[in-house]
Amino acid sequence: LVDIRDLFHHQEDYVGKKITVGGWVRSNRNSKNFGFIVVNDGTFFEPLQVVYADGLENFQELTKINVGAAIVVTGVLEATPEAKQPFEIQAEEIIIEGASAPDYPLQKKRHSFEYLRTISHLRPRTNTFEAVFRVRSLIAYAIHKFFQERDFVYVHTPLITGSDCEGAGEMFQVTTMDLNNIPHKEDGSIDYTQDFFGKPTNLTVSGQLNGETFALAFKNIYTFGPTFRAENSNTTRHAAEFWMIEPEIAFADLEDDMVLAESMLKYIISYVMEHAPEEMQFFNSFVDKGLIERLNNVLHSDFARVTYTEAIELLEKNNDKFDYKVSWGCDLQTEHERFLTEQVFKRPVFVTDYPKEIKAFYMKLNEDGKTVAAVDCLVPGIGEIIGGSQREDDYDKLLERIHELGLKEEDYSFYLDLRKYGSARHAGFGLGFERCVMYLTGMANIRDVIPFPRTVNTCEL
Ligand code: 4AD
Ligand code: MG
């Protein structure tokens, strides 16, 4: 079988030759003696037209093929310079490999993304989702390529863990206990000795703490895996299960971290523009009109940089525009993030040095004693796409912070050990993979860039 993608990319090798293509029917119309089937095989979102005539022995059967059927077509590829499509197949044989019922939900018309979410098992057969998930796959590959070319070690961090990296308490618990009959100790507390691991465990919110242990052995590492957050945020950018890329670099500070993040994002953008030009053009025409120009501009300019304190000053002057008014000490909301990147800087921006109170326990305290060496990268259309920091590498300061926040010292003994045995400056960040896919495709809802989304109240398939 030939891929339709190859036909479009290497026409000259196929025109005039007999080929075989397998795919799914997008439409089928016919007159008395001949018909046209538009077929898509998933390798390219431009479908291929198949012409069939009553010379074929199963002609009558072919005229009744429903949309969605799987067929295998053999015939000569003929150039059609006058038509919209550069070529078509003159069928010599069409085998119906799997018929489709007439109630196939994807008929030849535009379906809303909302509706397509209800049929996540079929939506990859539409042009938009074919392009989205192909680009998603390419981005994942580009990310591995970027880090592997730089000799970063890929670490698989565990999905089940006993710790809460971000300290936000937004975790899915993992247990083998019968929820209708939870064993209790005499003092009334839950008896975890009867649970599988003998202690409370949860799905990881981030691989960072485990990643740090490897960075302090291999110098440069990255993780790339699923993470889980039981955030009760029903927004277009939050999922309960999402993928994160978390590089961690030793003998490196916040500046090195930002340089890495910027070169990674630029690398991903160029890789995708180069390897999926048709898909990117498709997004630019049908999903987000300014996409390609915007991404091109990113490649040709430096990311903006601003401290949290400067950002607050800029935002305070515009407080009349916000639902949620800002002042020093508050966390930035999406509306503020988007204002900074879309209205003020008009490109990706790094915001650094946040108040320690609104950031995680592991971030390095700055000299001022009030802020930490944190960085968020904000991009137009989305807001935060990356969150990172230089890590606290001083044993005493880290321990003090753990106590201040009421965390249990024994839960972090491995983490403190890293500061006890050969502590080194180190930094890292987490790139939200789905937000990155949104950024590169212009898709506006995280539910439309993940094959089977898990969000508040939704866990289908
Ligand atoms: O800013 P976050 O919470 O940072 C961390 O987890 C650090 N441990 C990363 C590190 O320094 N190694 O999350 C990182 C990124 C966010 O910037 C965002 O892009 C994404 O993960 N993210 C989500 N994406 C989808 N749905 C959610 N609920 C997300 N929460 C975070
Ligand atoms: Mg964050």
Side-chain angles (χ1 to χ4, degrees), residues 9-25:
H9 286 165
H10 307 286
Q11 260 190 72
E12 60 291 352
D13 296 346
Y14 294 104
V15 170
K17 299 212 175 100
K18 194 188 223 182
I19 56 163
T20 302
V21 163
W24 293 270
V25 172

Side-chain angles (χ1 to χ4, degrees), residues 166 229 337 359 363 375-376 384 386-388 435:
E166 295 305 302
R229 300 213 181 163
E337 293 175 346
K359 289 291 181 185
M363 296 192 182
V375 60
D376 277 6
E384 181 190 341
I386 284 176
R435 291 194 189 171

Side-chain angles (χ1 to χ4, degrees), residues 96-358:
I96 303 172
E97 183 140 340
S100 176
D103 62 352
Y104 185 60
L106 295 174
Q107 294 301 324
K108 197 176 185 293
K109 63 162 196 160
R110 226 169 226 285
H111 296 286
S112 72
F113 291 161
E114 287 79 6
Y115 169 67
L116 292 172
R117 271 174 225 144
T118 67
I119 46 168
S120 52
H121 58 306
L122 296 173
R123 70 175 178 169
R125 300 187 193 185
T126 64
N127 286 357
T128 306
F129 289 94
E130 200 178 305
V132 166
F133 294 126
R134 182 168 291 276
V135 166
R136 182 179 164 113
S137 162
L138 278 179
I139 297 175
Y141 181 67
I143 289 169
H144 280 296
K145 198 162 177 315
F146 173 83
F147 286 113
Q148 295 287 339
E149 280 171 1
R150 284 158 187 74
D151 283 330
F152 280 55
V153 170
Y154 177 31
V155 188
H156 297 122
T157 51
L159 300 191
I160 300 176
T161 169
S163 62
D164 176 9
C165 175
E166 295 305 302
E170 292 162 336
M171 297 171 301
F172 290 101
Q173 283 174 250
V174 172
T175 181
T176 48
M177 292 189 294
D178 175 358
L179 294 184
N180 296 312
N181 190 13
I182 296 174
H184 286 90
K185 293 197 280 203
E186 271 175 17
D187 65 4
S189 63
I190 295 174
D191 184 2
Y192 280 101
T193 61
Q194 300 198 38
D195 199 5
F196 187 93
F197 294 108
K199 66 171 194 178
T201 51
N202 53 273
L203 294 177
T204 191
V205 297
S206 154
Q208 180 195 323
L209 303 188
N210 299 80
E212 279 185 57
T213 70
F214 268 59
L216 289 166
F218 290 91
K219 200 159 77 111
N220 294 332
I221 65 98
Y222 70 106
T223 73
F224 190 162
T227 48
F228 307 85
R229 300 213 181 163
E231 254 167 307
N232 200 3
S233 306
N234 205 351
T235 77
T236 53
R237 3 168 276 151
H238 288 91
E241 178 180 308
F242 62 98
W243 286 59
M244 201 168 11
I245 294 92
E246 296 186 272
E248 193 73 31
I249 47 180
F251 303 100
D253 59 16
L254 195 68
E255 172 65 28
D256 301 312
D257 209 25
M258 288 189 276
V259 169
L260 181 68
E262 182 167 340
S263 48
M264 177 195 67
L265 283 176
K266 287 179 173 170
Y267 183 97
I268 302 171
I269 294 172
S270 347
Y271 188 89
V272 172
M273 304 248 265
E274 189 186 335
H275 291 87
E278 292 93 353
E279 280 80 359
M280 293 307 285
Q281 203 56 59
F282 172 85
F283 293 129
N284 197 61
S285 308
F286 298 106
V287 175
D288 178 352
K289 296 262 185 285
L291 181 70
I292 289 187
E293 194 191 341
R294 202 163 63 237
L295 294 177
N296 265 324
N297 288 341
V298 173
L299 293 179
H300 299 110
S301 59
D302 292 334
F303 289 15
R305 292 183 182 203
V306 65
T307 65
Y308 167 90
T309 304
E310 290 160 355
I312 290 292
E313 280 164 17
L314 284 165
L315 293 167
E316 266 180 327
K317 290 192 199 120
N318 293 282
N319 256 338
D320 55 311
K321 301 193 180 81
F322 305 129
D323 292 337
Y324 182 93
K325 315 290 171 207
V326 298
S327 58
W328 201 94
C330 78
D331 209 353
L332 300 184
Q333 309 294 315
T334 305
E335 56 172 335
H336 311 126
E337 293 175 346
R338 291 190 57 173
F339 183 81
L340 286 172
T341 175
E342 289 165 24
Q343 308 295 324
V344 183
F345 296 102
K346 301 186 167 51
R347 59 197 155 119
V349 48
F350 287 123
V351 181
T352 60
D353 306 295
Y354 286 75
K356 66 173 184 181
E357 283 76 18
I358 57 172

Side-chain angles (χ1 to χ4, degrees), residues 24 78 87-88 120 136 235 269 318 332 395 403 423 441 448:
W24 293 270
E78 306 223 321
F87 42 71
E88 63 191 18
S120 52
R136 182 179 164 113
T235 77
I269 294 172
N318 293 282
L332 300 184
Y395 185 96
H403 287 158
S423 190
T441 58
D448 298 329

